Amino acid sequence: MQRGIWFILVTVVLVGLSIWVNLTVKPRLGLDVDGGIRFTILADKSKLSPADRTGETWNRKALQTVGILEGRAAQSLGVAEASVYRKGDDRFVVELPGLTDEEEARKVITTSAQLQYYWASNVATDLDPARPYEHSDATIDTPNGPQDVDRFKRRGQSNDEYLKLGTPEYDRMFDRWKLITKGENLRSAEPDLAPNGRYNIKLSFKPEGEDALSEFARSHVNRREWLVAVIDREVVSFSHIKEGVTSFKGGAVLEGRFTPTEAKRLSGLLTAGALPVDLKEQNVTKIAPSIGRQALSQMLVAGFISFGVIAAFLLVYYMFPGFVALLALLAYISLSFAVFKWIGVTFSLAAIAGFILSVGMAVDANILIFERLKEELRTGRTLMTAIDLGFKRAFPAILDSNACTVITSLVLINIGTGPVKGFATTLMIGVFISLFTAVTVTRTLLLFFVSSGIGKNPNLYGTGRGWFGERLEANADKNPLHIVKNMARYFIISFLIIVPGLIFMGMGGLKLNFEFLGGIESGVRLPKGTPATSSAVSAMIEKAGFKGANAKIGDAEEGSDRPVAYITIPPRDNPEVERYFELSKTARPGTSNDLATLRKQLGAKIVSAVGGDPTPIEKVAADGTKELSGIKDEVSFESAGPAVRAETIRGAVIGVIVSSVLIVLYLAIRFGVALGGFAVGLRFGLSAIIAMLHDVVVILGLSAIMGYFRNWEVSQLTITAMLTVIGFSVHDTIVIFDRIRENLRRPLAGESFDHLVDRSITQSFARSLNTSGTVIVTLAILVFIGSATPDLKHFSAAMLIGIVSGTYSSIFNAAPILVLWERWVGKRKGAGATIIHDKKLREPGPVIRDETVWTPDDDGAPAKGQYSQTKRRKKR
């Protein structure tokens, strides 16, 4: 009692701290909630030495790259909540929530930012005007005010024939310049207001840089030679050394030509440091914040409704224990949300859906405990004994089922992108916290209340409520459900469930999104009057010349009545899309005007095809060219090149295989330890996975049917749903298998394995329905209320159908498959090799009671049909 009070006090303190964190720490919102830009970029290791491309040396460079990109996002782009992480060996993902200027972000993220000082030895000076190239200053107007730029031309050409960065003539001029010092010798850079109202950038060099610049100054004193500051072959400062200057010990200054925006960007880049490797853009995602706000609003409404339904179910069906569980669930929500904020979890829409789903799943452990508690009370146990036994006998199933969810979550974290990682992280952390709140907090509170005289009346425990099959348990020994006897019927039903999906797969209904196909996906506001159907929009896109396009229709943005169409266009048979990816692979870092131009043309063409407004939102760059920062009726743009496509496909296949293998191994070990060896446990594990494959095929069938009628596409979120269902399907199967494991310890006299399995299913029937029911209700609410985009709706619907299928397969497929396996073993090796006849299971030594489960007021012996916890006594 005393220990329980202290534990409650500790829990109250933890919950209080979590409430404080939740009130004071701002959540980190994902791109699909807050809007923003995501780049996936590839490290070009071709210029590195062989020793630098692999092993610990490359890992250090990769870690350095992540740090530099984080610094650039914060210092040059002002995105304090940027997320940068390594994906695979040579890819990096940069997420910039809240940022809308795609081209500005591209300049900052993909440039190497290697500041170098050159002597422009082939550019004419006052003392040597016969050199082949000439320099001139120009001032252009930009949205941020007048901007000074440097221009070059061949001597004798007209002033409007200046050289452009990236052209062969520009490269010929540049390649003759003499390098003086590299950016690795730069110590710091900071903007400084100049007398002319513009900004200087003050540079501080390491001794090596100061010495190199000073040596150049001394050898060219008073000769007015050009000293050029260059970043990625682009001139940022072109000036001669002042008369009499022979030393750079005080640093250098890029003088008064920068706007505040340019000065901030450039000094931020230089301060963050030069990248140790060149980066190539592989894909980009741009999402307008209006889509995320609408989706978040819908999802929060769905979350509150699902919580209300769960709370009502706990209170009505489980009464007083339900009230205690509700207190623990509130603690779970507060603790989980605080932990997510504390460790910096990014709340994407998928992550929020995962959190809402975890609330539904957190109730599962309580349901298993309370059903076991009610079972003990019905057999005449005293209340304290029933509570103690209920928790202890439910714990193995809770542990094993949650372990399978953790396995699939770890796989998702390793193969997924930002949204998928967020979903898996919230789900996995939720599992660990729910184990604490559902098992430990609920148990402590329940024992505390009962010991205090509150809730001592057994009528408050809902023993008479058998609305979902609990009454079947009373007759489970003599009259169980005949699942095994009728297994052929249930296998046929499973086949009939699968067949429609297979038919639609054959009809081409299984559509892949741009991540699997490669290509682009553009979200476009549909004009009023445009038919808001997938087929109509697809036809308009095809008419515009895009082959193999697919359109999905999503909800309108917040404050708008215009639905959004999400249009996928593959590279195949679409030269403009192919060209886009070719340019993204070959564009020189920091110089992507051709890529931006094609991006603008592609976006405008797609928007125009559906009758939207294709007006580009542009800004004037430093060299006078216009750069795209958006298209008026485009709300999102995503692309995935060939490498991303290959990685996505590989990740999906590996994810399903690895999850399945790990779950089989885990179950084989867990059941093998209890039931006579790894080989026996393997039968349980493989039976669970074979039944689970039924659920995977059902999800793919749903995707094919909805793909055929609604153009839904298989995306990474679909694979996420599939892997989650793998974990949950096995979760429900474990509830039944755990009861089989327990009944095998004490079979009825003369009981066959078929009867034991039927009895176990019957005893677990109600808890299987109840545990699945809370998750099914949560997902149904998410499907119909909380899914603003087609991919999110597909994600929630796939999990909903998958878990319904998983509940069916756990009851009607998994255990019968185990029976068939046992029959095969019996025919092949004899009856003695089957589990039911394995004498080693029950006769390694005398079975003794585990006294820790009994209390002084116990009746001293298990009731009929009930079994005490057992342990084996070692033979001496």
Side-chain angles (χ1 to χ4, degrees):
M1 180 69 177
Q2 187 70 24
R3 191 175 75 172
I5 293 174
W6 278 108
F7 185 83
I8 290 172
L9 288 175
V10 170
T11 303
V12 169
V13 170
L14 287 175
V15 172
L17 287 173
S18 70
I19 292 173
W20 176 77
V21 170
N22 290 328
L23 292 175
T24 57
V25 178
K26 184 180 177 182
R28 188 175 188 173
L29 300 178
L31 296 186
D32 51 0
V33 178
D34 210 23
I37 301 169
R38 178 192 302 118
F39 286 99
T40 300
I41 44 185
L42 174 70
D44 180 7
K45 297 196 285 186
S46 61
K47 297 179 182 178
L48 300 179
S49 67
D52 287 345
R53 296 176 190 173
T54 58
E56 189 58 35
T57 303
W58 167 243
N59 287 332
R60 283 197 299 269
K61 288 184 179 294
L63 186 63
Q64 181 186 358
T65 299
V66 170
I68 290 171
L69 291 174
E70 287 175 341
R72 290 183 179 185
Q75 296 171 29
S76 292
L77 296 174
V79 182
E81 297 297 323
S83 175
V84 181
Y85 56 90
R86 189 177 173 188
K87 184 172 173 58
D89 178 61
D90 55 0
R91 289 182 183 83
F92 302 89
V93 178
V94 182
E95 297 185 343
L96 305 166
L99 195 69
T100 59
D101 194 331
E102 180 183 332
E103 191 57 31
E104 181 68 16
R106 181 175 282 112
K107 279 186 172 182
V108 169
I109 295 303
T110 60
T111 180
S112 69
Q114 176 74 279
L115 177 70
Q116 297 171 311
Y117 266 101
Y118 285 88
W119 169 30
S121 57
N122 56 2
V123 178
T125 67
D126 294 344
L127 301 179
D128 190 355
R131 292 177 182 175
Y133 296 98
E134 296 178 347
H135 166 266
S136 63
D137 292 318
T139 302
I140 61 172
D141 292 326
T142 74
N144 297 317
Q147 176 71 52
D148 291 336
V149 296
D150 294 290
R151 289 181 173 172
F152 302 92
K153 65 183 182 68
R154 265 201 166 276
R155 185 161 53 84
Q157 288 183 325
S158 62
N159 289 333
D160 59 355
E161 295 182 279
Y162 60 88
L163 307 181
K164 290 186 178 180
L165 177 65
T167 61
E169 185 67 24
Y170 184 98
D171 289 341
R172 277 193 291 271
M173 175 191 71
F174 183 89
D175 291 340
R176 296 295 181 90
W177 294 358
K178 311 297 184 183
L179 179 65
I180 301 172
T181 186
K182 294 183 178 181
E184 61 196 38
N185 295 323
L186 181 70
R187 179 179 284 118
S188 66
E190 59 182 29
D192 182 54
L193 184 62
N196 62 0
R198 305 286 185 85
Y199 275 79
N200 297 333
I201 296 179
K202 296 172 64 175
L203 306 176
S204 173
F205 290 91
K206 298 174 184 176
E208 297 90 335
E210 290 179 343
D211 292 343
L213 287 168
S214 298
E215 174 60 29
F216 175 79
R218 283 193 296 271
S219 61
H220 295 84
V221 63
N222 298 332
R223 292 176 57 183
R224 302 183 65 80
E225 289 289 353
W226 297 116
L227 185 63
V228 191
V230 175
I231 295 180
D232 294 329
R233 302 176 75 88
E234 182 177 5
V235 173
V236 295
S237 175
F238 196 93
S239 60
H240 57 75
I241 300 176
K242 293 181 180 180
E243 299 294 327
V245 172
T246 59
S247 174
F248 277 81
K249 295 298 182 182
V253 176
L254 306 181
E255 291 188 336
R257 54 178 292 169
F258 302 103
T259 65
T261 301
E262 280 292 309
K264 176 185 175 184
R265 179 177 73 85
L266 190 56
S267 56
L269 282 171
L270 297 176
T271 300
L275 290 168
V277 62
D278 285 344
L279 300 177
K280 301 288 187 181
E281 178 183 322
Q282 283 201 306
N283 74 309
V284 62
T285 298
K286 181 181 179 182
I287 302 173
S290 53
I291 290 287
R293 286 194 292 265
Q294 171 75 359
L296 178 61
S297 176
Q298 291 183 6
M299 194 165 282
L300 290 177
V301 170
F304 284 119
I305 293 174
S306 63
F307 176 79
V309 171
I310 291 170
F313 171 73
L314 288 173
L315 293 173
V316 172
Y317 198 72
Y318 292 111
M319 302 177 70
F320 181 70
F323 168 73
V324 175
L326 184 58
L327 294 178
L329 187 61
L330 289 169
Y332 163 80
I333 292 172
S334 183
L335 288 169
S336 298
F337 201 49
V339 170
F340 297 154
K341 287 183 173 183
W342 180 53
I343 66 174
V345 169
T346 299
F347 285 92
S348 65
L349 292 176
I352 296 169
F355 180 52
I356 294 172
L357 179 62
S358 73
V359 174
M361 294 178 70
V363 181
D364 291 356
N366 283 315
I367 290 173
L368 293 175
I369 292 165
F370 295 159
E371 288 294 333
R372 199 60 190 253
L373 189 159
K374 287 162 64 176
E375 185 180 342
E376 301 295 338
L377 287 173
R378 290 190 190 109
T379 61
R381 299 288 188 199
T382 60
L383 182 57
M384 291 294 284
T385 300
I387 292 173
D388 198 33
L389 288 174
F391 277 89
K392 289 190 175 182
R393 290 179 173 171
F395 184 74
I398 294 170
L399 176 64
D400 292 341
S401 58
N402 283 315
C404 292
T405 302
V406 169
I407 287 171
T408 54
S409 296
L410 287 171
V411 172
L412 284 169
I413 288 171
N414 281 281
I415 69 170
T417 56
V420 173
K421 286 178 183 286
F423 169 83
T425 302
T426 55
L427 193 61
M428 185 176 68
I429 294 173
V431 165
F432 288 120
I433 297 177
S434 70
L435 276 173
F436 170 73
T437 56
V439 177
T440 310
V441 175
T442 303
R443 184 178 189 275
T444 303
L445 286 174
L446 198 56
L447 290 173
F448 173 77
F449 284 136
V450 172
S451 299
S452 303
I454 304 170
K456 291 198 71 171
N457 187 347
N459 293 329
L460 295 175
Y461 289 77
T463 53
R465 284 169 167 74
W467 303 341
F468 301 103
E470 284 91 342
R471 298 187 190 280
L472 294 171
E473 295 176 8
N475 299 315
D477 288 358
K478 296 181 179 179
N479 188 27
L481 295 168
H482 298 298
I483 305 296
V484 174
K485 178 181 178 181
N486 298 312
M487 69 169 76
R489 177 189 305 169
Y490 298 119
F491 289 157
I492 290 172
I493 292 173
S494 293
F495 177 75
L496 294 176
I497 292 171
I498 290 172
V499 164
L502 296 176
I503 292 173
F504 280 96
M505 285 185 205
M507 295 171 63
L510 200 62
K511 293 180 169 64
L512 303 178
N513 84 333
F514 72 99
E515 295 164 306
F516 287 93
L517 288 175
I520 62 174
E521 181 182 273
S522 179
V524 182
R525 299 182 189 94
L526 293 178
K528 291 183 179 180
T530 300
T533 64
S534 299
S535 57
V537 175
S538 294
M540 287 188 280
I541 295 296
E542 290 278 349
K543 187 176 179 181
F546 292 110
K547 305 299 182 184
N550 184 62
K552 304 168 290 186
I553 307 300
D555 293 348
E557 301 167 275
E558 187 176 33
S560 171
D561 58 355
R562 297 168 59 188
V564 175
Y566 296 88
I567 301 160
T568 299
I569 302 174
R572 185 177 178 181
D573 299 325
N574 293 295
E576 292 161 298
V577 179
E578 288 185 341
R579 176 66 176 156
Y580 175 82
F581 288 110
E582 286 299 318
L583 281 176
S584 68
K585 287 191 297 184
T586 59
R588 183 181 291 125
T591 61
S592 51
N593 287 335
D594 290 342
L595 180 63
T597 299
L598 183 55
R599 160 77 176 88
K600 177 173 63 177
Q601 293 170 350
L602 265 175
K605 185 174 179 180
I606 295 169
V607 172
S608 297
V610 298
D613 186 347
T615 304
I617 303 171
E618 297 177 321
K619 66 174 187 176
V620 180
D623 62 359
T625 59
K626 292 182 178 180
E627 296 177 347
L628 177 75
S629 62
I631 294 172
K632 193 165 184 182
D633 268 343
E634 181 186 79
V635 298
S636 66
F637 181 88
E638 301 187 59
S639 67
V644 174
R645 170 182 178 272
E647 185 179 19
T648 303
I649 295 172
R650 185 171 60 250
V653 173
I654 291 174
V656 173
I657 293 173
V658 170
S659 293
S660 301
V661 170
L662 290 177
I663 289 173
V664 167
L665 291 176
Y666 176 81
L667 295 180
I669 293 170
R670 283 286 291 161
F671 282 87
V673 168
L675 297 176
F678 182 80
V680 174
L682 199 59
R683 298 176 208 169
F684 282 83
L686 289 175
S687 297
I689 290 299
I690 293 170
M692 174 273 297
L693 291 176
H694 163 274
D695 309 324
V696 171
V697 177
V698 168
I699 292 176
L700 290 174
L702 167 75
S703 300
I705 293 169
M706 297 307 295
Y708 186 84
F709 289 106
R710 298 290 299 275
N711 281 7
W712 284 9
E713 296 171 338
V714 175
S715 66
Q716 282 212 49
L717 283 179
T718 313
I719 303 303
T720 302
M722 193 180 298
L723 290 174
T724 305
V725 167
I726 286 174
F728 196 89
S729 174
V730 175
H731 172 291
D732 223 15
T733 301
I734 286 171
V735 174
I736 296 171
F737 280 6
D738 185 69
R739 197 54 177 251
I740 293 173
R741 173 171 57 183
E742 182 178 328
N743 286 337
L744 280 168
R745 293 289 195 181
R746 287 287 196 276
L748 300 177
E751 184 175 34
S752 68
F753 189 65
D754 291 18
H755 185 274
L756 185 145
V757 168
D758 277 343
R759 179 161 63 94
S760 301
I761 293 173
T762 306
Q763 291 169 337
S764 308
F765 192 81
R767 58 208 71 187
S768 293
L769 293 184
N770 288 347
T771 53
S772 298
T774 55
V775 180
I776 288 170
V777 167
T778 300
L779 287 169
I781 292 170
L782 281 173
V783 169
F784 293 107
I785 299 176
S787 301
T789 66
D791 283 349
L792 201 59
K793 192 177 289 290
H794 189 180
F795 168 69
S796 299
M799 281 201 294
L800 172 61
I801 298 302
I803 288 174
V804 171
S805 173
T807 304
Y808 175 86
S809 66
S810 297
I811 296 172
F812 298 104
N813 290 348
I817 290 171
L818 181 63
V819 171
L820 290 176
W821 199 307
E822 285 298 292
R823 290 178 182 176
W824 178 80
V825 170
K827 288 181 180 179
R828 186 168 176 266
K829 297 183 178 181
T834 60
I835 302 175
I836 193 74
H837 293 104
D838 185 0
K839 293 183 179 180
K840 292 184 294 182
L841 175 65
R842 289 172 295 281
E843 298 179 2
V847 174
I848 62 172
R849 264 181 24 191
D850 182 352
E851 300 297 336
T852 61
V853 306
W854 305 100
T855 56
D857 59 355
D858 187 25
D859 56 8
K864 184 179 179 182
Q866 301 298 304
Y867 316 110
S868 65
Q869 299 287 309
T870 59
K871 61 183 180 182
R872 298 179 185 181
R873 177 179 295 160
K874 293 181 180 178
K875 290 184 178 180
R876 300 182 183 275

